[in-house]
Amino acid sequence: MTTEHDHRGATMRAVLHCLLAACAVLLAAMQFAHAAPRERLSLDAGWRFLRGDVPLPAIQGHGASYLNAKAGEAQGPANADYDDSDWRRVDLPHDWAVEGPFDAAQNKSQGYRPRGIGWYRRYFTLPASDRGRHIELQFDGVATHSTVWVNGIVVNRNWSGYNGRYIDITPYMRYGAEPNTIAVRVDAEVMEGWWYEGAGIYRHTWLVKRDAMHIATDGIHANPVRKDGRWTLPVTVDVDSSADSARKARLEVSLLDPAGHEVAHAGAPVQVDALGKASARLALAIRNPQPWTLARPALYRVRAVLRDATGELDRDETHTGFRTIRFDADRGFFLNGQPLKLQGVAIHQDHAGVGVAVPDAIWEFRLRQLKSMGVNAVRFAHNAPAAEVLDSADRIGLLVMDENRNFNTSPDYMQQLTWLVKRDRNRPSVILWSIFNEETLQGTEVGYEMARRMVGAIKQLDTTRPVTAAMHGGLFAARSAVQALDVAGINYQVWEYDRFHKMFPHKPVFSSEDTSAFMSRGEYTTDQDKHLVASYDDDAAQWGQTQRGSWKQISARPFLAGSFAWTGLDYRGEPTPHEWPSAGSFFGIMDLCALPKNAYWFRQALWLKDRTVVKVMPHWNWAGKEGQPVKVRVATNAPRVRLVLNGAVIGEQNVDPFDMATFQVPYAPGRLEAVALKDGAEVGRDQVETSGAPARLVLAPDRPALAGDGADAVPVTVSAVDAQGRPVPDANLHVTFDLAGPGAIIGVGNGDPNSHESEKAPERNLYNGLAQVIVQSRRAGQGPLILRAHADGLQSAALALDVRAVAPIPAVAEAEPLVRPAPWRTSPPQADRPDPNRVLADNDMNTWGWGEPPLTQAPAALPWRSYRVAFGLRRDRNDGQARLVMREIAGKAEVWLDGDKLGEKTAYEPGPLTLAVPKGAGWRTLTVLVETQPGQPSGLTGDVTIEPGTP
């Protein structure tokens, strides 16, 4: 005979057994997490995207109002269980604006592209072994304002499209088979700039897993210092802890030279309180380090390892370089003790075909193109660039003016500024912090006070680099931002250079922006009606100068540290000097594809000193103009140039170092040559030749191979040549593309700011002989990638790119959504069978309990309980094929859906129950009546889900 005591004893033993098992699992998970290495995993793949907003119904009634205020109960697409089954699948980086049409009714400053609102959602799971680890979600850039929810809980709001954020999502995580949900609402209706800013999650996204005690993100500060001829590397490492008790560890820091050899080492103890922060400070003495120079940018790695008595907890690395910088009020800029004129350009971040979602490899291509022109410095205007872009600058050897977007000292905006400095303060490429560009308050007391506070915040984080701003007025006001700056930046005001130096003889100064010259690639006649600007470098904005004229002003003044020409590349938006149908700027030294305009050759002639530059312009296809004079200009750094047409000398000139050389040549078909001369001897030659009609297409990749990681991308230049293989510079024919193999075409362009062609379709017109197609590898890709180009009446072109197998980028696997109805309401125990259709009062939040399965009830004297949940059913589960899976019910049970009985469980013993879910309304109410034996536990003791039917 079984007694009540036996029942209670069995129940207690069962509960104790469960508790011990749960503790064992938890301890095992914590031990695994303690020993697990840091993981930085890509979240770029597998997002679901909806363009447009989702109107939400008005919140009415007490129940809806009550739930709306609760964590995890976000409304609409922010809710973890929202139905996104018909959303589009996209991978990041993603810019939805570049996919849209041109529309004259849209903002011209944003390139006449509609922007609006968009939503992104992604699912992922975490193994139980991740319990106890610190989980961080990182967004590198979202345009423009955005809100992030995790599992229906709002975790972050951000007010800029240019700063990254690191979100601790550890408290909200679910482990095991149940997926976690990230939802992001992107508001791209708001603007931060007057240029094309794109729309969407356009930079990378990451999930970072670390030990509870770990090195903070951007937590290593290691910036070499040279004093009295000796180098030291002060290192500060910030350590955070999400653990529930204080912990001690030891921090070991190593410096590795460019070959990977350890050249210095130091250690220090660190103790962090529960949910606390601490820092360790060390100093490494370095003998004769390899210097970071523009020609040989030697990069060192700083490795920090955190250990306790059980072993390694965490490790992180950053890179740095040994170089000195100095701005002098009379002599300009010095790198490693040597004077260096900053030959800089300012650039925005969009590229043909991809908008602002620029692959890392395309960014590196852009920077290499700039450096080949003679650029030694880049101003990323007017915002923080992606970290990968600065990685390239560090590797390639380019100096950087690192610019903050918003001039504001409120907490949200100061956080954007300090984030920028903490992220980039180890980089050898960064030589200037810039706090603003052309602010209307710059020449006021308010502007001074704001600048003073922003400079102070930077100095607390980095004292090795000066702070500047790009000012276009207010320089001489009684109270001005310039008075708070270490180095003055002047935009365009050429007439103020000398006056400023006289009034501020001890303040270094440079041209933070100049030039604003216009040019259409391959055009040689200015036509205002057609929005075309000739490529001779004769046209500039009223506030600017030509390429040659602006550098003449800079180079003539030794006290000017250098300049940043506006702009190194064309960009969408701000369509100057023309508006609709022009959708982009004409300022670029190169076009939107990073294909050189003639301005590129003028800058080479002005900037390069180590080799002869000679470029003759225009092209020599002028049918119908025989005998008429054609303006010929030669860009060269040689002292003299000779012009030869079809073997006959046309003329010879001494070359003005800034104006170059200009001839008037009666047109005759054939070959026009420019011969660069020094002391009567030829030192260089360039030629243009009259071509025939286009006969075939040519495809020229920037590189012959891609990494098969799904991220690498290569720009391919498309051109046409005649039957003799000569380029046809005035070809404007239509080209279509197809691709076979492990990759995809992700964008096309041609550098024409007046073009309204789709940038995502596999076709494009050549613009003055050239176009560009960008191909990207597929994840786990390997083998030949075959790109073909076709044009009516021409021989097609085929290009084989080698996609090489590489280790995959560590990534978080995409999970499928799980329909797990919640939250459940639980009635008190009852003596009689409850009414399954009883209506619970809307304002009754306390009679019935709240929770999520497993809902295990202790033995009660009364046998019956009701369990109820209202939930939305996804369309892909509302097809009549789905199954209600109740993994364990303790007790007998009746299951009711929307007032109809679905089925029942007839045994008291714990067990599963699976029932078919009929097709019906999107919003459902599920009720489960459970009857138990006296003295036995009962309830929904296992998970409850809605599973898709078997295909």
Side-chain angles (χ1 to χ4, degrees), residues 177-218:
E178 185 176 1
N180 295 279
T181 306
I182 304 169
V184 185
R185 183 183 186 270
V186 181
D187 181 356
E189 289 181 342
V190 294
M191 297 183 301
E192 290 183 90
W194 48 97
W195 58 88
Y196 177 86
E197 297 184 279
I201 308 178
Y202 72 95
R203 291 181 184 168
H204 297 302
T205 304
W206 309 90
L207 191 75
V208 182
K209 304 178 183 181
R210 290 169 284 193
D211 189 88
M213 185 178 181
H214 57 272
I215 299 166
T217 304
D218 294 338

Side-chain angles (χ1 to χ4, degrees), residues 659-706:
D659 293 336
M660 312 284 170
T662 304
F663 302 83
Q664 292 293 331
V665 180
Y667 176 66
R671 179 179 300 162
L672 179 68
E673 298 174 280
V675 182
L677 304 170
K678 182 177 182 180
D679 298 328
E682 179 178 333
V683 292
R685 180 183 292 256
D686 185 50
Q687 68 177 40
V688 288
E689 188 172 358
T690 307
S691 70
R696 62 183 175 90
L697 296 173
V698 176
L699 296 172
D702 175 58
R703 292 179 284 120
L706 297 87

Side-chain angles (χ1 to χ4, degrees), residues 41-47 92 122 124 137 182 205-207 811-812:
L41 306 172
S42 172
L43 269 173
D44 283 352
W47 288 80
L92 308 181
R122 203 211 197 258
F124 68 96
L137 177 61
I182 304 169
T205 304
W206 309 90
L207 191 75
V812 179

Side-chain angles (χ1 to χ4, degrees), residues 636-841:
T636 183
N637 54 7
R640 191 167 177 81
V641 67
R642 178 185 300 140
L643 205 62
V644 180
L645 177 60
N646 294 329
V649 175
I650 296 297
E652 197 170 300
Q653 290 183 18
N654 289 329
V655 176
D656 183 280
F658 299 101
D659 293 336
M660 312 284 170
T662 304
F663 302 83
Q664 292 293 331
V665 180
Y667 176 66
R671 179 179 300 162
L672 179 68
E673 298 174 280
V675 182
L677 304 170
K678 182 177 182 180
D679 298 328
E682 179 178 333
V683 292
R685 180 183 292 256
D686 185 50
Q687 68 177 40
V688 288
E689 188 172 358
T690 307
S691 70
R696 62 183 175 90
L697 296 173
V698 176
L699 296 172
D702 175 58
R703 292 179 284 120
L706 297 87
D709 57 8
D712 198 8
V714 168
V716 180
T717 301
V718 188
S719 62
V721 297
D722 67 8
Q724 284 72 47
R726 295 172 296 198
V728 184
D730 53 354
N732 291 285
L733 46 87
H734 187 69
V735 182
T736 61
F737 308 101
D738 61 71
L739 192 72
I745 294 172
I746 62 170
V748 294
N750 63 12
D752 180 5
N754 301 320
S755 174
H756 289 186
E757 297 172 85
S758 169
E759 297 186 59
K760 295 300 181 181
E763 56 185 325
R764 193 71 174 190
N765 287 330
L766 298 184
Y767 175 56
N768 292 329
L770 300 174
Q772 185 180 81
V773 57
I774 301 174
V775 298
Q776 189 170 56
S777 65
R778 186 181 303 142
R779 282 188 294 275
Q782 184 176 7
L785 184 64
I786 309 299
L787 175 67
R788 293 182 175 87
H790 315 275
D792 290 345
L794 273 66
Q795 180 182 335
S796 297
L799 169 69
L801 294 168
D802 181 23
V803 178
R804 297 172 179 169
V806 296
I809 297 171
V812 179
E814 179 186 2
E816 289 300 314
L818 179 70
V819 178
R820 186 175 184 268
W824 287 76
R825 303 294 306 275
T826 305
S827 75
Q830 299 175 234
D832 300 320
R833 175 184 174 276
D835 178 1
N837 296 317
R838 176 193 171 188
V839 177
L840 188 63

Side-chain angles (χ1 to χ4, degrees), residues 626-643:
E626 287 78 5
Q628 299 179 33
V630 174
K631 181 178 178 179
V632 175
R633 183 160 283 163
V634 181
T636 183
N637 54 7
R640 191 167 177 81
V641 67
R642 178 185 300 140
L643 205 62

Side-chain angles (χ1 to χ4, degrees), residues 23 132 154 193 243 276 280 364 384 499 637 695 739 774 801 833 930 942 945:
C23 290
V154 63
E364 183 147 339
R499 179 187 174 200
N637 54 7
L739 192 72
I774 301 174
L801 294 168
R833 175 184 174 276
V930 177
T945 58

Side-chain angles (χ1 to χ4, degrees), residues 423-443:
R423 187 194 70 170
D424 296 342
R425 60 186 173 176
N426 299 324
R427 299 182 178 279
S429 61
V430 176
I431 61 168
L432 282 165
W433 303 115
S434 174
I435 59 173
F436 67 73
N437 173 75
E438 297 183 355
E439 289 289 334
T440 56
L441 294 174
Q442 60 197 348

